[in-house]
Amino acid sequence: MKTFTHCLLLFALLVPSVVCQASWGDPLVGLERLKTFESMRASSSDDNWRDGNGDARPIAPGGTLIVAELDGPGVITHIWVTIAHNAPFYSRLLTLRMYWDDEEHPSVEAPIGDFFGIGNGVDKSFTSIPIRVTSEGRARNCYWPMPFRKSARITVTNESDQPCHAFYYYVDWQKHSKVSEDAAYFHAMYRQEYPCVMGRNYLLADIKGRGHYVGTIQSVYHVSPGWYGEGDDFFFIDGEEEPRLRGTGTEDYFCNAWGFEEQAGPFYGTPLWEGYDTGDRCTAYRFHLQDPVVFTKSLRAEIEHKGSQHFPDGSVSGFIERDDLMSSVALWYQTEPHKPWPAAPAGQDRLPFREETLLKGWQAVETARHSDHPLEIQPLGGVVDGKQLWFKPSDPEAWVEVGFTMDEAKTVELIGKLVHSWDYGMYRVRLDGKEIGKCDLYNASVTPTSHRWGMHELKAGPHTLRLECVGKSSGSEGYLLGFGSLVARVPVYTRDPSVDLRTLQKK
């Protein structure tokens, strides 16, 4: 019986062979045959490879790192990266670009997280055939075959206001005497609509030339509650006025059914799925490995942004254009030259929201009200400023209150940055007396963790956050609480809930 591990090895069959045509048989067939290429690598290895261990490269804010400059002919077969960067959502703020054969415009231009299959700046693991991400989203691998004839140049630009402290990478490639004449060039292009434009479909790709489309990675941030995925996919091939390939729904195009759930597999998956509420995020991928969409002159790929919506008068529609924040990476092979796309939006403009720190836990220790239990500042890595509010009760009747002030009224999603550990308790969270969440802070190891506490209309002036111990889980050895910070996520686009979305539809 074939295992999923065997499926992962199928990527080897995707590499354009200079000798024979790849097939979808046993992935080990031919492995024993002698090879005619040279095995090559570009990496961040310390130049002092005998004694050194400085195996990473920093990237200053606004700086660009040249990852590889390769002389062809050749085929890139594997790229691995891992990154140490303190900026929240850093994987949306680092831009990956690839240039083939001294071209002026990049054939690959995308945020590095989106290119490796997870959007919205999220670190998360998943497994497919061409992409695998592990180490809680921090080890990123891709196996897309990338042939070039003269040269290949790969760069990464840090578009955040904080330094990337360490960028580690491998680029494994084969140097050939000749690349097959029918080997096309790999392309990956990012685009976004914040929000989706009413009256037209979301554009996935607009390509000129000859080639084949091999994948879509789509990410969404919900502007309002509901289901965004009733929209159909359409592929217009070689200038045809009607789409030759027509879909039946977004989840259907991404090979799922009756909505989404978090899952991942060889050809399709939804590795990030938070739900149907305002502020929830999603990333879905569909890789056309066995069914590439072939075009000889052009390809236009679109998908509708339609789904369910509740209206101010209480009525509901299951099929209407939605104004969610949508982004995507289109993946394809084609002959050069390619049609240049508009430059990718700047790093900060790719984030669906901005984060504002309302309260740092360690700064509230002196002013916090609490039950008669020890409260102190504890140094701890992974939380804001490397310090947390550490509350150490010995019984489940404990509580602590901290205050913060809003300079102006805002509608925000509240995020509590709390610490989980082996002796931490369970806590009820109240905002100005109203319960907004419950948190089980037990974990076998010390782990800073974000907790989402919903969208709230915060008035200007003072507010109180109260955390009440309600016991401990069966594995925990205590009732402790570690509070790092309270953060507000402010969406870059919001719609007044009193506005009827039907009035925004264009005929």
Side-chain angles (χ1 to χ4, degrees), residues 11 16 33 35 39 65 124 140 155 177 180 184 234 237 276 291 350 361 441 496:
F11 74 82
R33 295 174 186 163
K35 310 304 177 187
S39 299
L65 170 68
K124 200 168 181 63
R140 296 175 166 93
T155 67
S177 60
S180 174
F234 301 116
I237 300 174
Y276 301 91
D291 57 341
R350 300 174 202 153
L441 305 182
D496 187 332

Side-chain angles (χ1 to χ4, degrees), residues 355-383:
E355 283 199 343
E356 301 175 0
T357 299
L358 302 178
L359 175 67
K360 295 180 180 181
W362 70 271
Q363 290 181 333
V365 168
E366 296 298 324
T367 58
R369 298 178 61 249
H370 57 97
S371 56
D372 189 18
H373 298 91
L375 181 69
E376 62 186 66
I377 297 173
Q378 182 194 37
L380 187 71
V383 296

Side-chain angles (χ1 to χ4, degrees), residues 158-176:
N158 179 12
E159 298 191 39
S160 79
D161 58 2
Q162 297 189 39
C164 174
H165 298 292
F167 191 93
Y168 297 81
Y169 62 87
Y170 283 36
V171 179
D172 292 311
W173 64 288
Q174 303 168 354
K175 188 172 181 62
H176 290 274

